[in-house]
Amino acid sequence: MRLDVTDNPVISGMSRIFDMMCLNVLWLVCSLPIFTIGASTTAMYTVMLKVVKNEEGYIVKGFFKAFKENFKKSTIIWLILLVIGGFLGADLYLTSSAKGSVGMALRAIFAALELLVLAVGIYAFALTARYENSIKGTIRNALTLTLARFPSSIMIALIGISIWNLQLITFALPFWALFGVSIIFWINSKLLRRIFAGIEDHTEEEVEE
């Protein structure tokens, strides 16, 4: 009798933990030059959107393949979002010393816009990972999804902020370095996969009609 180790829950669990560690390290290392964060994020979503449906193949090979194939498009999208986010961040900083209701209102507006840009960015990289489209079309669809699925978009953006939360990183640095990023991507991929599935089902219904 031949035993299939993949059916062993312990072996399967250990394999999943190792995959999450590998993806975490890959994203961190490939994001170090900063301008490659877009390509690294798209590669992460390419793999993670398959992981949440147990459709993944070779983790490392799949990551680098997606990184290479989507590098140009993802980098341009990242730089566009970085410039917009930078301007909003500067405005938020400049209004931080403003007092009274006007200052509070301005800070709330700029913070909300920053959150909106983050949500658009997450959708844009996930869409790039899953669908073929132009840069303009991808950003347009990302903005449409952000507004159309607003409650989910806010949740996705708030989860995404965790990657850049310095207090969280400092408090749990070893865990963050090994699992933190990949867990955040895994949670968001669960939500995104559900959103994409709804869109695809709706599109198929329209085609059949």
Side-chain angles (χ1 to χ4, degrees), residues 4-26:
D4 186 355
V5 295
T6 59
D7 291 334
N8 188 309
V10 176
I11 299 297
S12 179
M14 293 295 291
S15 176
R16 175 65 73 227
I17 290 172
F18 182 73
D19 288 345
M20 296 291 276
M21 287 176 59
C22 284
L23 286 171
N24 204 87
V25 173
L26 283 172

Side-chain angles (χ1 to χ4, degrees), residues 43-61:
M44 186 70 144
Y45 274 124
T46 300
V47 176
M48 200 62 79
L49 286 168
K50 295 177 181 178
V51 167
V52 296
K53 292 289 286 183
N54 295 315
E55 297 172 350
E56 75 277 13
Y58 295 101
I59 295 293
V60 176
K61 184 179 179 180

Side-chain angles (χ1 to χ4, degrees), residues 1-91:
M1 183 176 68
R2 183 179 175 182
L3 295 177
D4 186 355
V5 295
T6 59
D7 291 334
N8 188 309
V10 176
I11 299 297
S12 179
M14 293 295 291
S15 176
R16 175 65 73 227
I17 290 172
F18 182 73
D19 288 345
M20 296 291 276
M21 287 176 59
C22 284
L23 286 171
N24 204 87
V25 173
L26 283 172
W27 187 87
L28 290 173
V29 171
C30 292
S31 296
L32 283 178
I34 305 301
F35 75 91
T36 58
I37 287 178
S40 185
T41 300
T42 296
M44 186 70 144
Y45 274 124
T46 300
V47 176
M48 200 62 79
L49 286 168
K50 295 177 181 178
V51 167
V52 296
K53 292 289 286 183
N54 295 315
E55 297 172 350
E56 75 277 13
Y58 295 101
I59 295 293
V60 176
K61 184 179 179 180
F63 184 95
F64 282 115
K65 183 174 183 289
F67 184 92
K68 181 180 178 181
E69 290 178 348
N70 299 295
F71 183 83
K72 182 179 179 180
K73 179 180 176 181
S74 299
T75 301
I76 293 173
I77 292 174
W78 162 245
L79 293 177
I80 291 171
L81 294 171
L82 185 62
V83 170
I84 296 172
F87 276 116
L88 292 173
D91 289 331

Side-chain angles (χ1 to χ4, degrees), residues 49 52 185-195:
L49 286 168
V52 296
F185 274 95
W186 183 84
I187 295 171
N188 268 350
S189 293
K190 280 277 190 180
L191 296 171
L192 289 164
R193 187 87 192 207
R194 202 172 301 167
I195 292 170

Side-chain angles (χ1 to χ4, degrees), residues 164-189:
W164 314 104
N165 191 314
L166 294 178
Q167 290 182 334
L168 178 64
I169 294 171
T170 304
F171 177 74
L173 183 59
F175 177 81
W176 185 85
L178 290 176
F179 296 105
V181 174
S182 58
I183 288 176
I184 290 167
F185 274 95
W186 183 84
I187 295 171
N188 268 350
S189 293

Side-chain angles (χ1 to χ4, degrees), residues 91-147:
D91 289 331
L92 187 59
Y93 176 77
L94 291 173
T95 57
S96 61
S97 58
K99 298 180 180 179
S101 57
V102 175
M104 187 179 297
L106 288 173
R107 287 192 294 275
I109 290 171
F110 289 129
L113 289 173
E114 282 276 33
L115 201 62
L116 179 69
V117 170
L118 178 58
V120 170
I122 292 172
Y123 278 119
F125 295 126
L127 287 169
T128 301
R130 190 162 176 81
Y131 306 103
E132 287 290 335
N133 205 343
S134 64
I135 293 173
K136 182 179 179 180
T138 298
I139 294 176
R140 183 182 63 247
N141 289 341
L143 180 58
T144 301
L145 277 174
T146 300
L147 299 176

